[in-house]
Amino acid sequence: GNKILKKVLLLHVPILFCLYMLTDHGINSDGNMNINQKHLAVFTALARHPPSMRIFRGLLEVVLLGFCAAFSLYVYEQAFTKHVIAKLLFEVPYTLKGSENSSDY
């Protein structure tokens, strides 16, 4: 338990520090910099260039689908054995098996 928590902290602290270094100060509507408002500079750049924002959003959706698939496989692995998951993912479905000599497929 404690070893895992230490590992998670050691992996996340440098990433969070790097994200903090990439922060940008907000700009008010009158053009003055607002020091209290910070956000990631990459989001400022994307907001100023809408085509890049669309590409970024599309890539983010693909990445989120991958993370969701990996998480669901992890949950299934905890609930079932690896043999059951391998059978579900990699075996020919029973609807396609049919007869052995069939040349329809």
Side-chain angles (χ1 to χ4, degrees), residues 42-43 46 50-63:
V42 67
F43 293 124
L46 289 172
S52 295
M53 184 59 139
R54 285 192 292 272
I55 293 169
F56 178 77
R57 192 171 41 234
L59 290 175
L60 182 65
E61 288 175 5
V62 171
V63 169

Side-chain angles (χ1 to χ4, degrees), residues 25-96:
H25 296 294
I27 296 176
N28 293 336
S29 59
D30 59 357
N32 294 329
M33 286 183 65
N34 185 1
I35 295 175
N36 294 330
Q37 182 185 6
K38 289 188 173 188
H39 52 274
L40 289 175
V42 67
F43 293 124
T44 304
L46 289 172
R48 292 180 182 161
H49 194 252
S52 295
M53 184 59 139
R54 285 192 292 272
I55 293 169
F56 178 77
R57 192 171 41 234
L59 290 175
L60 182 65
E61 288 175 5
V62 171
V63 169
L64 286 176
L65 282 172
F67 279 134
C68 290
F71 179 72
S72 66
L73 279 175
Y74 174 76
V75 170
Y76 287 138
E77 186 180 24
Q78 300 305 314
F80 305 108
T81 63
K82 289 184 180 183
H83 176 70
V84 172
I85 295 170
K87 202 171 182 180
L88 286 171
L89 291 177
F90 301 114
E91 259 192 28
V92 177
Y94 71 92
T95 56
L96 296 178

